[in-house]
């Protein structure tokens, strides 16, 4: 455990020294190298945080204590740094969200707001297709508009991997109400769950 932290600190030090040793750029220079070095420092710094969190957990720190230190909820801390074990297999679970899931969720919400019900339901997995028809989806969206007025926009989604799906929670803004679109995506990019929750979740 201590070795991971030591290795992470060494990597951060090496990347920082490399960044400081690189020449200062003028406005006419290509900034790509400096940006790349800065990103590598950011990655190395996150590795240090990850190693410290793992060491803290090994020594008995709770996720609440870790979350407080990070300025996030204990659930958010766990989702970012935890290593959940799959109760079905006893193996570590995949915690990496589906690539480009933010864009995928935005596309679904745009289709909902534009009344393109078929485009949404075509993305449903078999269980969703059996449980939610195109007409029922349209009626649910119409109910939201009836309660809170026209759709005005969306906020930035929160993303987390949960078992076999990636879940996005996207704030939705209506004329007279706030909601959250919770969409669960399978790794094949089909929709395994779609819920509109009242208020903004965190």
């Amino acid at each position: 455990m201590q070795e991971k932290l030591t290795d992470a600190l060494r990597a951060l030090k090496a990347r920082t020294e490399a960044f400081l040793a690189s020449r200062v750029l003028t406005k006419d220079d290509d900034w790509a190298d400096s940006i790349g070095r800065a990103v590598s420092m950011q990655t190395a710094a996150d590795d240090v945080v990850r190693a410290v969190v793992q060491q803290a957990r090994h020594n008995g720190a709770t996720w609440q204590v870790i979350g407080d230190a990070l300025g996030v909820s204990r659930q958010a801390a766990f989702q970012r740094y935890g290593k959940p074990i799959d109760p079905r297999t006893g193996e570590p679970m995949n915690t990496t969200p589906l690539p480009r899931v933010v864009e995928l969720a935005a596309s679904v919400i745009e289709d909902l707001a534009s009344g393109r019900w078929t485009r949404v339901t075509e993305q449903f997995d078999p269980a969703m297709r059996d449980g939610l028809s195109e007409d029922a989806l349209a009626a649910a969206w119409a109910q939201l508009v009836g309660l809170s007025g026209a759709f005005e926009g969306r906020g930035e989604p929160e993303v987390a991997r949960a078992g076999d799906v990636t879940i996005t929670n996207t704030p939705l803004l209506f004329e007279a109400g706030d909601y959250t679109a919770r969409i669960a995506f399978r790794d094949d990019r089909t929709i395994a769950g779609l819920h509109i929750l009242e208020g903004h979740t965190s």
Side-chain angles (χ1 to χ4, degrees):
M1 195 68 64
Q2 183 64 38
E3 288 178 6
K4 286 185 180 179
L5 177 56
T6 302
D7 291 344
L9 286 168
R10 283 184 182 143
L12 177 58
K13 181 182 177 190
R15 292 178 191 182
T16 303
E17 288 172 349
F19 181 80
L20 293 173
S22 64
R23 63 192 177 89
V24 177
L25 299 174
T26 67
K27 65 179 182 179
D28 297 325
D29 288 321
D30 181 4
W31 284 88
D33 183 62
S34 288
I35 292 170
R37 288 179 188 271
V39 169
S40 75
M41 286 170 52
Q42 185 179 38
T43 301
D46 196 52
D47 289 343
V48 171
V49 174
R50 187 176 305 281
V52 172
V53 167
Q54 289 174 3
Q55 192 167 22
R57 285 290 297 157
H58 182 73
N59 289 317
T62 65
W63 284 110
Q64 184 66 57
V65 168
I66 293 167
D68 289 346
L70 293 169
V72 299
S73 69
R74 69 180 192 230
Q75 185 178 19
F78 175 79
Q79 287 172 350
R80 183 163 186 184
Y81 297 107
K83 292 185 173 180
I85 302 300
D86 192 327
R88 300 166 295 185
T89 64
E91 298 293 322
M93 297 178 95
N94 177 10
T95 57
T96 304
L98 179 66
R100 301 184 60 82
V101 73
V102 170
E103 293 89 340
L104 193 56
S107 174
V108 171
I109 292 167
E110 184 179 324
D111 287 338
L112 287 170
S114 300
R116 296 189 289 258
W117 321 117
T118 301
R119 284 183 61 169
V120 177
T121 57
E122 283 175 347
Q123 298 174 68
F124 286 175
D125 71 4
M128 280 290 292
R129 272 193 219 108
D130 290 343
L132 183 62
S133 70
E134 188 175 321
D135 288 342
L137 179 63
W141 191 264
Q143 185 179 28
L144 282 178
V145 172
L147 288 171
S148 300
F151 176 73
E152 294 186 332
R154 62 178 175 80
E156 287 299 312
E158 293 181 353
V159 177
R161 179 86 183 197
D164 298 328
V165 296
T166 297
I167 297 173
T168 61
N169 287 312
T170 307
L172 303 180
L173 309 174
F174 287 76
E175 284 181 284
D178 295 329
Y179 296 87
T180 297
R182 177 169 293 165
I183 310 173
F185 295 96
R186 298 200 180 280
D187 288 342
D188 63 3
R189 303 177 75 79
T190 58
I191 297 172
L194 173 57
H195 305 276
I196 306 295
L197 310 175
E198 191 168 0
H200 288 170
T201 64
S202 58

